[in-house]
């Protein structure tokens, strides 16, 4: 048994972290917000040219053919850097959807371009407040009708994978029957859009029943993203507390701060452990993925929530200024907590996939 | 226990209600109108003048200072009735009445009282507070801005932060270090300063909410007459305590009511029902609501104490501590139960935007006016009688501290 | 407005507290446990002879005719002392049930004896695990059939008020058709029993529809009991921490302990504030009672739970010994948390009684 | 990442499985049989002897001490397989192997190793731990029991608590103060003591659970030969650290599994369904289960570190800290969802009684082997590198401390 990342994975993470530290200092994020930018395009191009975007796309489709756990190293570092690129939308969701549910022709057409970043995809599921998956958008005779919102990263996307009931449809966004409206996003570094389809041309991805698996796989990546971000919050808070003097000694010497950050450190390690397991299950143990992904998502949300809130709290008043860096995570965290389904959603999935419970037996019987 | 008002209280409420009905409407800001801050201050001054003329400016302010000399309960009653109108009241008025006036009244000379009290009550002087510094927040006595005596004046240099509305204030209450050779809370002196004095430079702080309600204020060789000194040289700490004690009693609980979040959950579709059908949502919101109800009753207990002349002391911090946590948790939960839509609501969805704002503003509530950790310390020490923190800085001259 | 206890109420509480401090030192509780006693009979007799038991029973029925808020002073002090008497069973539940739902004859027969303590009543509602109110016990032609368990204090009771559907029946326990079996109770100072009715003679209390009100009124008393107990835990922990030296200074000087007890103090004051309101509503504002009682119960459970757990934690290893006094509260607290309905139950009641919510409107419409 | 065992590990597991199948059954304690403690120790010694003869006593104990000299992973594998049988293993064996042997092996003389190691591995010597005192729990160095040199012996007086199974142990590991004129952690010395020495009096502690697993041990002029001293005079603290570090790695997570609580909720009727239909129950139990899964994976990460020869240090305390909180909260929740019946379940309801026991036992888990607060300090200091506590006692001679 070896429950650790491989040396190659550690190296991949380190490489990504180094690059991002250089390209995405916090001032860069402030610039992007001030410019009302939709993304950090140069970063996207660079990651594409270095092969990072295609990490887990099969080699036959122009990717590196690495595992989900390798991809997770990139997710984790993007979370840590709070980078403003459509990685989750395009790679973790759109490309993976095509890979899971698409025809050979669809894969051949889109995966190579998604792998290089030349084409950006987005993934449309919500239809306003409430349920995770929308129920009103229709696909009929090759045409999509209805409204999806919010949809992350739709502004820079060439294609959208659109959830329609149990099915997934693929549409180009440049056609006249598609209207994109940028919404005012709480997370200023992750723009969301309204996508209105008025009889837009689209094609189905032929394999249905893949949505739950797609979300499980995305949940594993999101868990790594959250671990990276929560750890960034932990370190930021620790470093600030070490520096800041309060009543003649470092803030970090006060038990209230020590214990707060110790609890956060535990939450981060718990989230990391579940993320490891979910990443491994995504790559190598598909049967275990539903429970592993649900557990990973629950602990990741808790850790990042605590990290985002308490990091700002430790900073005190300065943490409330735009010049400080706490707010990037404070906003991103809520986005993380609701994208792909909130705690309640994943709690249901975990209970349903827990051996021994009747609920589980029933669900599995029905599945 | 009696929730009914005493005859005297009921009479006061009737009188206040009638007066407000006759006077408040023409000062109201219409729903949906956003004033710029210059205009808001103009309107605020006018309303404050109307209050003064009606005999309702500074209800608890002693008559000797020009106030009404009323009771704490009367102040609460008047505030409740006044809150029925959308009137221009803000820090530009509140700081003068709630901070400047008490400190000048208690520590000022008769000349100072004459110079400032009535004008403040009439809305002719607006005030800002110049206490906090980048390195002096919870540890206020750690401040570095300093004043050096120069004949009949003091020359002030340094930087203050978190001064609300400083850019629209006539005057500031200021505390600075005048002696670095004594332990830190002993070398402070308190002043009032005319904000138009040369050398004062005000820069808005960009906040994470996008707004800039707060400022940084820089002092470069700013001359302040010694006549503006409140209290003795080196007695600034006691003046600060007067100000901060006044602040503590008026906190918590205005925003973020749980009932509106219950309605929000119920307005959020889920399956064939609403998000309020979820047992976990119901339990979490019910617990928050129960605590909110408790806070209201607790505040009623505190007011009862005040009306008897008792000082609730650190008990008052309990309301704020509980509110800050509940405010962040409940607004965070509301966003979560709403789903992805909470992160980018439709253009007309003002409710979700308010909750987003609450979730951001809650970070300030957890920090300002006594951070969570500071309040817990105060409750442990002053209510439970537990030992104070180990202090490394207590008897060390300020200049020898790191 | 005067939101405080009256001087008389404060004096009543002080009197009760003084008496209990003298009669129920913790060693007395240990004695009772070792003797496997069903109650502290001398204490009961003394409280009865002093009039405490009949505090809120109308004067015409032999009580003092005081208000529910006066009664609450006694509940609070009994909670603080962790006394082993059937006060909640006999006074707060059985006598109040008869008062709310009984006929004049029933009131005249039982209330005077309950007021003096000469007769003890118990209140039977649960029927095994799960729902708060049982649904299987039947009342038919003057006979009770079925099993109620657990029933607190049934061993020393002369009569039981038995919930049967929406109705309440009154039965004497000495008849052969009633079997009482003492169960092994988690709370060693509050014995519980199985009551088996095999065609036992009983009579209905004629006014039906009073059960919810009965529980609301009992919830207000339970909230005071919990406030007393939680405050006892707070003071016990504080006093121990002040005494105990750790690494050369008092344990009470550590921020982890200070903040733990500060949070507990806040919880106690919140619970107290809601209890005040619920006690006042029970006496003077019946419309507000359902929401007030629910809120009081929720904050009381939280405060006592925190108090029971963290008091023992502050004591460290010594807290785990029978010689220390933490365990009385640790066991009593769980009993408090489930008797009269758990948090979920009262959360439902609070939401249903919150102005503005549709749920509330529907419930009130239906009621 | 690879959950499959290496060929060597798989081979070891196969070997262990086969050996256990051949040997363990005749040592098993049948389901439902409660042995008295004398008998249990007899059976425990016999099984330990069988392990020794089979080459499985002290799998990670170096061969020089008579152990197997195997890897940490082998120990884990063997423990997993051994746990399939209901064997007599308890503190009477565990303290000897896990505490006495490491400290004697590291700090003892060759003569001491010869005297104790093999006998302990064979189950011929059982051990108890005599560290804690009424005034020395988390602050172990505050202990007061003392030994005074008397020729070739030491005379010990004082009181120890929380010594599991002291009344059935052959030997004890003991730390006492031998010099009160130096700071508190410098004046300690470590001994092994024959528990039959005159002057040792053992009194069971009555616990809140009703059981008496722990003892108080009183020493009245107990003579211990200097040959029983482990390490130098005044080096007792280092010996204690060796013992306690060994303890930390093996904690948490055996009892109170969340899956059984999910099944319990599902077996609790509510309305026309079960308590598991409640959204708040489902959310709370799912979160606990997710954390439990995380702890299992986290322990696998720690074992991986150990198998590489890395020391997880304070990371290991995280598992215990999380477990302690989860264990109390989840067992408390389970009682609550069960309703009043949980407080006095029917006679045959063993499951509820177990959960009651868990709820009580969780208080010990939060305290023993590193209290919550101690572990948080350790994590903050050793994992995050934050400053240590302000120490008032560090350089003060013990006799001058309050």
């Amino acid at each position: 048994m070896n429950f650790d990342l491989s040396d190659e994975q550690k190296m991949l993470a380190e490489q990504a972290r180094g690059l991002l530290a250089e390209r995405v200092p916090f001032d860069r994020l402030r610039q992007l917000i001030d410019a009302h930018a939709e993304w950090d395009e140069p970063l996207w191009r660079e990651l594409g040219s270095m092969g990072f975007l295609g990490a887990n796309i099969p080699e036959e489709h122009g990717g590196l053919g690495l595992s989900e756990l390798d991809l997770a190293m990139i997710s984790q570092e993007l979370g840590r850097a709070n980078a403003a690129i459509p990685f989750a939308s395009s790679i973790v969701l759109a490309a993976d959807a095509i890979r899971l549910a698409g025809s050979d022709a669809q894969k051949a057409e889109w995966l190579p371009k998604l792998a290089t970043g030349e084409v950006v995809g987005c993934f449309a599921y919500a239809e306003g407040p409430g349920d995770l998956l929308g129920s009103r958008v229709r696909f009929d005779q090759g045409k999509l009708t209805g409204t999806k919102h919010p949809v992350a990263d739709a502004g820079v996307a060439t294609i959208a994978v659109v959830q329609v009931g149990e099915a997934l449809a693929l549409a180009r966004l440049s056609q006249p029957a598609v209207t994109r409206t940028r919404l005012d996003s709480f997370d200023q570094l992750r723009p969301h859009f309204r996508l209105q389809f008025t009889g837009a041309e689209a094609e189905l991805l032929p394999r249905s029943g893949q949505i739950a698996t797609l979300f499980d796989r995305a949940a594993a990546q999101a868990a790594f993203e959250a671990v990276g971000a929560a750890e960034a919050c932990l370190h930021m808070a620790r470093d600030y507390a070490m520096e800041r003097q309060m009543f003649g000694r470092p803030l970090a010497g006060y038990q209230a701060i020590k214990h707060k950050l110790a609890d956060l450190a535990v939450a981060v390690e718990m989230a990391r452990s579940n993320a490891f397991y979910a990443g491994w299950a995504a790559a190598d143990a598909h049967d275990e993925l539903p429970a592993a992904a649900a557990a990973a998502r629950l602990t990741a949300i808790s850790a990042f929530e605590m990290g985002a809130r308490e990091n700002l709290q430790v900073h005190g008043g300065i943490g409330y200024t735009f010049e400080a860096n706490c707010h990037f995570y404070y906003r991103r965290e809520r986005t993380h907590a609701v994208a792909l389904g909130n705690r309640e959603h994943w709690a249901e999935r975990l209970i349903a996939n827990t051996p021994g419970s009747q609920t589980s037996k029933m669900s599995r019987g029905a599945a | 226990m009696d929730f009914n008002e005493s005859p005297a209280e009921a009479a006061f409420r009737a009188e206040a209600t009638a007066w407000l009905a006759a006077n408040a409407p023409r000062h109201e800001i219409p729903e949906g109108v956003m004033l710029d801050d210059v205009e808001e201050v103009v309107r605020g001054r006018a309303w404050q003048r109307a209050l003064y003329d009606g005999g309702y400016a500074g209800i608890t302010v002693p008559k000797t200072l020009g106030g009404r000399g009323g009771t704490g309960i009367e102040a609460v009653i008047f505030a409740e009735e006044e809150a029925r109108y959308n009137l221009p009241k803000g820090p530009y008025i509140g700081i003068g009445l709630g901070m400047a006036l008490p400190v000048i009244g208690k520590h000022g000379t008769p000349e100072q009282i004459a110079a400032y009290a009535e004008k403040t009550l009439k809305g002719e002087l607006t005030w800002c507070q110049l206490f906090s510094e980048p390195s002096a927040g919870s540890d206020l006595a750690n401040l570095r801005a300093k004043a050096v005596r120069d004949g009949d004046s003091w020359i002030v240099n340094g930087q203050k932060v978190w001064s609300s509305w400083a850019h629209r204030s006539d005057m500031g209450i200021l505390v600075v270090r005048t002696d670095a050779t004594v332990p830190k809370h002993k070398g402070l002196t308190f002043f009032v300063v005319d904000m138009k004095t040369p050398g004062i430079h005000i820069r808005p702080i960009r906040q994470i909410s996008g707004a800039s309600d707060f400022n940084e204020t820089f002092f470069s060789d700013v001359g302040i007459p010694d006549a503006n000194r409140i209290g003795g040289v080196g007695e600034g700490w006691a003046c600060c305590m007067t100000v901060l004690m006044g602040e503590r009693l008026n906190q918590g609980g205005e925003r973020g009511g749980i009932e509106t979040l219950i309605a929000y959950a119920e307005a959020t579709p889920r399956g064939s029902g609403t998000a309020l059908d979820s047992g976990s949502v119901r339990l979490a919101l019910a617990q928050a609501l129960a605590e909110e109800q408790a806070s209201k009753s607790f505040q009623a207990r505190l007011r009862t104490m005040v009306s008897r002349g008792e000082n609730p002391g650190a008990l008052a911090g309990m309301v704020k501590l509980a509110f800050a946590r509940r405010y962040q948790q409940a607004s965070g939960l509301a966003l979560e139960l709403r789903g992805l839509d909470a992160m980018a609501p439709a253009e007309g969805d003002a409710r979700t935007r308010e909750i987003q704002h609450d979730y951001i503003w809650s970070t300030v509530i957890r920090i300002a006016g006594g951070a969570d950790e500071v309040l817990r310390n105060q409750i442990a020490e002053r209510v439970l009688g537990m030992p104070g923190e180990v202090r490394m800085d207590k008897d060390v001259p300020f200049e020898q501290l790191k």
Side-chain angles (χ1 to χ4, degrees), chain B residues 61-69 105 113-114 117-118 121:
Chain B
V61 174
K63 287 186 176 158
T64 52
L65 297 183
R68 183 184 181 93
I113 290 170
E118 188 184 316
L121 286 165

Side-chain angles (χ1 to χ4, degrees), chain A residues 1-79:
Chain A
M1 191 189 61
N2 171 23
F3 201 84
D4 193 7
L5 302 170
S6 67
D7 288 344
E8 292 74 21
Q9 285 158 348
K10 288 178 186 171
M11 215 187 310
L12 178 60
E14 228 165 86
Q15 220 182 338
R17 191 193 302 206
L19 179 76
L20 290 166
E22 198 171 301
R23 297 294 189 273
V24 197
F26 288 118
D27 283 340
R28 169 72 178 151
L29 299 182
R30 268 181 282 273
Q31 270 174 22
L32 291 166
I33 291 173
D34 283 341
H36 202 55
E38 290 193 9
W39 62 337
D40 190 343
E41 186 171 359
L43 177 66
W44 182 257
R45 300 286 167 229
E46 186 168 3
L47 292 176
S49 73
M50 293 176 75
F52 280 119
L53 301 181
N56 80 324
I57 290 177
E59 285 177 273
E60 62 194 284
H61 295 304
L64 299 180
L66 300 176
S67 81
E68 280 63 29
L69 203 47
D70 300 309
L71 186 72
M73 298 300 97
I74 302 165
S75 289
Q76 176 181 296
E77 297 313 318
L78 291 171

